[in-house]
Amino acid sequence: MKKLFIQFYLLLFACFLVMTLLVGLVYKMTAERAGRQSMNDLMASSLYLMRTELREIPPHDWNKTIDNLDLNLSFKLHIEPMSRYTLTPENMRRLRAGEIVALDDQYTFLQHIPRSHYVLSVGPIPYLFYLHQMRLLDIALLAFIGMSLALPVFIWMRPHWKEMQKLERAAQRFGQGDLDSRTHFDNTSSLYRLGIAFNQMAENIKLLVASKKQLIDGIAHELRTPLVRLRYRLEMSDNLTENEAAALNRDISQLEGLIEELLTYARLDRPKVDLKIQHIDLAHWLTGRIDDVRSLHPEHSIELDIPQQENQGYADLRLMERVLDNLVNNGLRYSVRRLRISLWFDGSMGMMQVEDDGPGIPPEEREHVFEPFVRLDPSRDRATGGCGLGLAIVYSIAQAFRGTVTIDSSPLGGASVRFCWPVTQAPRTFPPALLKGSSNE
């Protein structure tokens, strides 16, 4: 609110200041000019009368004569030598020409006495002093009014700011996955129509998300049903050779894997991901999983690097298994022979890294490696298998954990994929960030 208040206040004060200066300019060009002209006429008449009185009197008696006159004036009249005053060349020229010269800094008027080196001095004039004091008063009054503008601005802005905060909180809840979050304003509120627009937007987004979920679930169901029938009929068929049957079974398995990956990716891409956080002995869990991988892939040299330290932390076991499976399968798919899996802790962060001795990923392609269905040519194409969603799912899980996943070069010669997540106990749900997308190695 502070920033908005200052901006609005400065704008209002600037407008007020410009308006005041314009009014002051008009005043200066009219009232002050008319007052100065009236004063000049009055002074000219007074000076003419004084010169008339002093015409027959010697100069050394002029001041005594003026003092003896009963003029009842609010200012003093006296005769001074012209040399007593320091005048600009322009004022000196005007004075010698018989014009009245005003010394604003001394609140005094001067007029030259003809055929002499004297001037008739009138002042100080209270009127001029009053004008000067008025300028100071105007400035003080202007500053006071400018400061007093802050109060009505604050009074006007405070309810608007509260309503804006209410709308902001609703938007934050909605962004964190609470699709039922709505906001309501009174009919008299200036944000009433904005609140209606927000609620309509939220309702439309909720319907779109629900429609997307329903569509994906429906497609998965419709695809699985003919696949099951196809596999059943394949098993019952006697007209296929063993190689043809194996190829068909492999294709069906790939389709089933694609459906499963699409469902997983769709679940992770929802506004809120439910996490089942539990305490896990990560070293024991990883050792068991890698032993299973070794038994299935004896042709690969699979190394496991786990430092001898406390390796217990919090994570969602189901999602961690998916991360490990996707990273290991990626490494096996593109490695030549060696694969290394590492696990260690760095403060409150857990680090799991999978390295291979394959062709690796060029640095310029690492920005796109997490986009779904993107494949890197020429070494990574559909002939290697996979559905192109492995790293996309890993990235989504990292976002759900509020962790990171990065790709670098490996000392083995291929790619190194590092998955980092907080191993301290965490909430059961996290809103994932917007996905950059994903791609398999």
Side-chain angles (χ1 to χ4, degrees), residues 111-158:
Q111 188 175 38
H112 180 233
I113 298 176
R115 297 182 299 277
S116 72
H117 298 288
Y118 293 90
V119 292
L120 182 60
S121 173
V122 181
I125 307 295
Y127 172 76
L128 296 179
F129 179 76
Y130 175 73
L131 287 179
H132 180 74
Q133 292 298 107
M134 280 296 294
R135 293 191 184 97
L136 296 178
L137 181 62
D138 289 344
I139 295 175
L141 184 61
L142 183 64
F144 174 76
I145 295 176
M147 294 294 293
S148 65
L149 287 175
L151 181 61
V153 169
F154 178 79
I155 294 175
W156 177 85
M157 184 173 292
R158 192 166 185 270

Side-chain angles (χ1 to χ4, degrees), residues 20-297:
T20 303
L21 292 177
L22 290 176
V23 172
L25 181 62
V26 172
Y27 169 78
K28 185 176 181 64
M29 295 177 62
T30 55
E32 187 175 345
R33 180 181 297 178
R36 179 60 65 90
Q37 184 62 44
S38 299
M39 179 59 67
N40 286 343
D41 293 341
L42 176 61
M43 295 307 299
S45 301
S46 300
L47 290 172
Y48 175 77
L49 293 175
M50 294 304 301
R51 288 202 311 270
T52 303
E53 292 290 335
L54 300 174
R55 183 177 302 170
E56 304 298 333
I57 300 173
H60 58 82
D61 292 331
W62 283 348
N63 281 323
K64 184 186 294 184
T65 303
I66 292 174
D67 293 338
N68 292 330
L69 294 176
D70 186 13
L71 299 177
N72 292 325
L73 299 176
S74 61
F75 46 83
K76 294 182 179 181
L77 295 174
H78 47 279
I79 307 299
E80 300 285 354
M82 189 182 299
S83 59
R84 184 180 180 278
Y85 296 96
T86 302
L87 303 175
T88 64
E90 174 63 21
N91 284 341
M92 184 62 73
R93 183 194 63 77
R94 292 176 55 206
L95 192 63
R96 292 187 179 278
E99 298 181 20
I100 297 175
V101 174
L103 303 179
D104 290 335
D105 56 339
Q106 302 179 29
Y107 318 117
T108 302
F109 284 91
L110 300 178
Q111 188 175 38
H112 180 233
I113 298 176
R115 297 182 299 277
S116 72
H117 298 288
Y118 293 90
V119 292
L120 182 60
S121 173
V122 181
I125 307 295
Y127 172 76
L128 296 179
F129 179 76
Y130 175 73
L131 287 179
H132 180 74
Q133 292 298 107
M134 280 296 294
R135 293 191 184 97
L136 296 178
L137 181 62
D138 289 344
I139 295 175
L141 184 61
L142 183 64
F144 174 76
I145 295 176
M147 294 294 293
S148 65
L149 287 175
L151 181 61
V153 169
F154 178 79
I155 294 175
W156 177 85
M157 184 173 292
R158 192 166 185 270
H160 291 79
W161 179 250
K162 285 188 173 181
E163 291 177 344
M164 291 173 64
Q165 285 183 318
K166 183 179 178 181
L167 182 63
E168 181 184 12
R169 288 191 295 268
Q172 288 176 344
R173 291 194 302 270
F174 190 85
Q176 292 172 355
D178 183 8
L179 300 184
D180 293 320
S181 177
R182 300 292 184 272
T183 184
H184 302 282
F185 299 115
D186 295 334
N187 295 342
T188 57
S189 171
S190 57
L191 300 183
Y192 176 71
R193 297 182 62 182
L194 180 61
I196 292 178
F198 174 84
N199 292 339
Q200 290 176 345
M201 176 198 69
E203 188 65 27
N204 291 337
I205 292 176
K206 180 182 177 180
L207 293 176
L208 286 174
V209 171
S211 176
K212 175 186 174 182
K213 178 181 180 298
Q214 185 179 5
L215 176 63
I216 292 176
D217 292 343
I219 290 176
H221 175 74
E222 294 300 325
L223 286 175
R224 278 175 170 170
T225 301
L227 283 176
V228 171
R229 293 174 180 171
L230 182 60
R231 187 181 291 277
Y232 173 75
R233 291 173 181 173
L234 179 63
E235 295 293 336
M236 298 297 294
S237 175
D238 297 329
N239 298 327
L240 297 176
T241 65
E242 183 176 348
N243 290 336
E244 291 174 337
L248 286 174
N249 275 308
R250 185 170 58 252
D251 291 340
I252 293 173
S253 296
Q254 288 183 354
L255 285 174
E256 290 176 339
L258 173 60
I259 293 172
E260 184 64 28
E261 294 289 87
L262 282 172
L263 288 174
T264 302
Y265 184 78
R267 283 193 292 267
L268 292 170
D269 196 24
R270 291 171 187 172
K272 183 183 292 186
V273 178
D274 293 328
L275 299 180
K276 298 179 180 178
I277 302 298
Q278 55 184 302
H279 189 264
I280 306 172
D281 186 338
L282 294 169
H284 178 75
W285 163 76
L286 184 59
T287 301
R289 299 287 296 184
I290 297 304
D291 287 342
D292 293 340
V293 175
R294 285 172 177 157
S295 63
L296 294 174
H297 300 276

